[in-house]
Amino acid sequence: MSTAPSTSHYPAAPTAQRASAHTLCVLVDNEPGVLARVIGLFSGRGYNIDSLTVSETEHQKHLSRITIVTRGTPMVVEQIKNQLDRLVPIHRVIDMTLAGNAIERELAMVKVAGKGQARVEALQLAEAFRARIIDTTTESFVFEVTGSSDKIESFINLMLPLGLVEVSRTGVVAIGRGPEGM
Amino acid sequence: MTTDNKDSGATEMTGAEMVIAALADQGVEHIFGYPGGAVLPIYDAIFQQDKVKHVLVRHEQGAAHAAEGYARSTGKVAALLVTSGPGATNAVTGLADALMDSIPIVCITGQVPTHLIGNDAFQECDTVGITRPCTKHNYLVKDIADLPRVLHEAFYVAGSGRPGPVVVDIPKDIQFAKGVYFKPNEFPHKGYQPRLKGDPDKIKLAVEMMKQARKPVFYTGGGIINSGPKASKLLRELVKLTGFPITSTLMGLGAFPAADQQWLGMLGMHGTYEANWAMHDCDLMICIGARFDDRITGRIDAFSPNSKKIHIDIDPSSINKNVRIDVGIVGDCANVLGDMLAAYKATPGAPDKQALQGWWKQVDTWRARKSLAYKASADIIKPQYAIQRLYELTKDRDTYITTEVGQHQMWAAQFYHFQEPHRWMTSGGLGTMGYGVPAAVGVQMAHPTSLVIDIAGEASVQMTLQEISTAVQYRLPVKIFILNNKYMGMVRQWQELLHGGRYSESYSEALPDFVKLAEAYHAHGIRCEKPADLDKAIMEMIDTPKPVIFDCLVDPTENCFPMIPSGRAHNEMILGDAAEKLEDAVTEAGKMMV
């Protein structure tokens, strides 16, 4: 080997493989503490959470769907999936990024305050992004914009010089294309 | 509803009575516990029945380790009962221990009444919050209607798949509340159904790889023991059939008989020369029910560099966690081994005989290195010698061994040879000093007529010493065999190795007189200082029909070898006769490791 071997007897630092973002959909029993279990697993084992959304999706069966965007090397992401899968209240874990056929959306509410030309420009840009106006005063708008995280990111960046006050984002939700459920 | 419904087993009773009914229905004969305010209703129910016998420990950590010992020696799910707040927090070490070693125990904790939860009430703590990361699963029961289901589910979850500890936290008002009790039923858990059958295609592939192997080795672990006696039986068959060498982790000792010619001894940090070299040089590794822990692999980027790896485990998260696996088979060891045997017999061809012979010849040259050899002495008892004599004098008896954690534990693993599973109880993953005495109490409770010995160190044993009182109370004739070197031996060894011989706080100052201590507890005390007296003293210990504390004074400077120093690979292990070079053996980076 050309490089000096590591002297650690712990797993080599994940330099060989590149970390990338993965979106996981997790179907869980909606019972007290289930979110704490998921989050505790991530913090306890040193995994990252870029975004997390959760809501009950099947009321009769008390099932909730959690969408987690995480970041790691392929080996780490496989570990995360397996570690989640073995939690007792977790029914299924799907790596939407690996499955490759997922639609991912995020919703953001963006508050912009301003007058004159900036206000007109904000309105025009909002139209281009198909953002809806859900609150307005003579000196402010709240826009509702949905789309991929990238789209929302660029919308927010455009609003920045036009009087951006604050942003509230849901985090990513994802669903697979086609007739089959998860 | 006030009537009994005999058909469905539904009966009205209080929550406290449900706990007892569920324990009895789950086959629990003994429960280890300690009473307190928040579990008084359950203790009242215990008082009024005789199906479940309560064993009063002296500390809740002891209850957890006793339950672990009970579970590991019987293969059944064991139970403990503790109160809220400090009762629960004291049990945490035992729960974490059971999680690391995959031991099925159910811990029932009392909780303050539901209306006081979150109020900082007396002896309140967030038990489910505190125990969440150190249990397989846990429950807080806030409705009496959920209690029977949760109790039965707790036993199911603890015992199925990869076993582990489960906590059921029951507020006091729920213990008083009346509800309808149901017996356990057969319908599967709605969500938790671990995969037990291995993928047949992967098993076929694994068998093909085995038949093409030229330098194969079996590497087995605690998963075989947890899977049950059938897994051990099938493993023996497969190993015999293939003719491959086999090594095991600390947790897996006994699954394969140590007396067998194909047995290489334990592997890992204090494993034998032949086991570690075989792991390093093999071309096919068949890992069954082990998890490539850092104590096994040594330096991970130099771990068995030229081998293909097959990994059989019931827990998918164990596969590809630390080491890249070529064929990962998820399933219960017994199932997969059974299918593997059938596939091996059904497919034509066999491993190259000549290659295998050459491999064995290589193994024999490693064996000839006699890596466990030590300098004998006629004046002072060598700890290895003490274990050897203990083994020779107890091997033909019905013996169970528990240990504490440290040098004595490693010597026990090296020099006490196990022929059967479920005979060896030691804290492997968490490394809990103080495990051995309460675990021995638990084992002896399950096997009242067997010989149960805790191989201990004088430092570890003082962590849970009070459980000797439990042993005396229940007439459990456990033997505490202390290798007394007046040091926290493993700490001392590492300080010698890594910290220039500066023995910071590792000397066992102000030791009690263990013989007098035994007498104070109404147990029997024996002290032995000379090798010549050892056999007689051990026989006295065995023949004493009550608890014994055996104070065996051993060489305080002896180190445990072989040893793979931190940050080193399998082929860089240090043997006892090369111990002078210890200082140079560890790199600066290696000193960071634990």
Side-chain angles (χ1 to χ4, degrees), chain B residues 214-480:
Chain B
R214 300 175 68 83
K215 298 192 284 181
V217 67
F218 281 104
Y219 149 44
T220 62
I224 309 256
I225 314 271
N226 272 337
S227 180
K230 193 176 154 212
S232 290
K233 198 178 139 283
L234 291 167
L235 174 72
R236 289 162 192 222
E237 261 186 72
L238 186 66
V239 173
K240 275 275 142 300
L241 186 66
T242 57
F244 298 169
I246 173 169
T247 178
S248 159
T249 66
L250 181 73
M251 295 297 297
L253 298 178
F256 190 83
D260 195 281
Q261 263 305 306
Q262 284 170 261
W263 173 246
L264 302 183
M266 181 176 77
L267 82 160
M269 186 172 265
H270 293 289
T272 64
Y273 194 69
E274 52 269 35
N276 285 333
W277 267 99
M279 287 288 280
H280 185 270
D281 275 14
C282 67
D283 70 347
L284 178 69
M285 182 184 295
I286 307 138
C287 169
I288 311 173
R291 59 184 177 89
F292 295 90
D293 160 89
D294 58 85
R295 282 293 183 274
I296 295 305
T297 61
R299 200 177 83 203
I300 205 100
D301 59 0
F303 174 70
S304 193
N306 304 313
S307 63
K308 294 257 182 230
K309 296 170 186 77
I310 298 167
H311 189 181
I312 301 165
D313 206 296
I314 200 161
D315 176 5
S317 76
S318 281
I319 295 171
N320 279 325
K321 185 169 72 177
N322 302 328
V323 168
R324 265 276 163 227
I325 298 301
D326 297 284
V327 181
I329 303 172
V330 177
D332 178 64
C333 288
N335 268 323
V336 178
L337 279 167
D339 293 347
M340 216 171 207
L341 258 173
Y344 198 91
K345 287 176 186 160
T347 49
D352 184 337
K353 258 215 173 99
Q354 239 173 351
L356 210 54
Q357 267 172 7
W359 179 230
W360 270 112
K361 227 169 138 187
Q362 175 67 67
V363 167
D364 285 338
T365 62
W366 290 325
R367 267 185 180 153
R369 196 69 180 73
K370 296 208 179 308
S371 62
L372 295 179
Y374 60 93
K375 287 193 190 101
S377 166
D379 308 320
I380 190 157
I381 300 173
K382 291 283 183 174
Q384 299 96 323
Y385 177 75
I387 308 273
Q388 278 180 319
R389 292 319 301 158
L390 184 70
Y391 172 65
E392 289 302 329
L393 295 170
T394 57
K395 66 177 178 184
D396 297 325
R397 294 167 188 264
D398 174 22
T399 310
Y400 291 83
I401 302 290
T402 73
T403 74
E404 311 290 334
V405 168
Q407 282 183 325
H408 67 273
Q409 177 191 28
M410 291 299 110
W411 281 317
Q414 291 172 339
F415 291 93
Y416 202 101
H417 306 298
F418 295 91
Q419 315 302 336
E420 295 298 328
H422 300 291
R423 297 280 169 163
W424 164 244
M425 271 56 61
T426 192
S427 173
L430 196 67
T432 311
M433 291 171 73
Y435 173 85
V437 179
V441 166
V443 174
Q444 189 85 76
M445 206 69 204
H447 308 275
T449 58
S450 303
L451 177 61
V452 181
I453 304 170
D454 169 29
I455 298 176
E458 86 291 336
S460 281
V461 79
Q462 291 188 81
M463 287 205 174
T464 50
L465 195 62
Q466 69 279 8
E467 300 306 334
I468 290 164
S469 176
T470 310
V472 171
Q473 179 180 345
Y474 293 92
R475 298 180 202 285
L476 304 171
V478 297
K479 317 299 182 203
I480 317 294

Side-chain angles (χ1 to χ4, degrees), chain A residues 1 4-12 17 29-38 40 45 47 61-62 74-76 78-79 81-91, chain B residues 132 135-139 142 153 157 162 189-192 269 294-295 297-301 315-324 565-568 587 589-590 592-594:
Chain A
M1 265 195 281
S6 148
T7 47
S8 165
H9 68 189
Y10 290 107
Q17 298 177 310
D29 287 324
N30 184 14
E31 59 180 37
V34 68
L35 195 58
R37 267 178 229 289
V38 171
R45 293 185 182 268
Y47 307 142
K61 293 189 196 162
H62 296 291
M75 201 158 162
V76 168
E78 188 193 333
Q79 243 323 279
K81 184 177 167 297
N82 285 332
Q83 291 287 354
L84 282 170
D85 223 350
R86 71 182 193 147
L87 293 183
V88 172
I90 287 188
H91 290 252
Chain B
R132 197 175 289 127
T135 52
K136 183 176 174 185
H137 195 51
N138 60 14
Y139 302 87
K142 289 173 111 169
E153 234 177 71
V157 169
R162 179 177 178 174
H189 188 274
K190 61 182 169 165
Y192 186 69
M269 186 172 265
D294 58 85
R295 282 293 183 274
T297 61
R299 200 177 83 203
I300 205 100
D301 59 0
D315 176 5
S317 76
S318 281
I319 295 171
N320 279 325
K321 185 169 72 177
N322 302 328
V323 168
R324 265 276 163 227
S566 303
R568 291 284 174 169
T587 59
M592 309 294 175
M593 304 297 132
V594 286

Side-chain angles (χ1 to χ4, degrees), chain B residues 469-547:
Chain B
S469 176
T470 310
V472 171
Q473 179 180 345
Y474 293 92
R475 298 180 202 285
L476 304 171
V478 297
K479 317 299 182 203
I480 317 294
F481 188 77
I482 302 172
L483 295 180
N484 183 351
N485 61 359
K486 302 199 176 82
Y487 275 103
M488 295 159 209
M490 197 57 95
V491 174
R492 195 201 56 76
Q493 178 169 342
W494 279 59
Q495 287 172 335
E496 183 181 325
L497 189 69
L498 298 163
H499 299 279
R502 293 178 294 279
Y503 299 126
S504 179
E505 304 295 323
S506 57
Y507 181 65
S508 292
E509 193 82 55
L511 280 176
D513 179 331
F514 284 108
V515 173
K516 282 188 182 155
L517 186 77
E519 283 158 11
Y521 275 113
H522 311 291
H524 183 60
I526 300 170
R527 179 171 297 117
C528 185
E529 298 175 54
K530 293 277 164 238
D533 304 334
L534 189 58
D535 278 22
K536 202 170 147 261
I538 290 175
M539 286 315 295
E540 182 190 338
M541 174 181 87
I542 294 169
D543 292 336
T544 304
K546 61 179 188 176

Side-chain angles (χ1 to χ4, degrees), chain B residues 95-106:
Chain B
L95 295 171
D97 191 274
L99 184 70
M100 287 288 261
D101 286 348
S102 308
I103 308 304
I105 58 174
V106 170

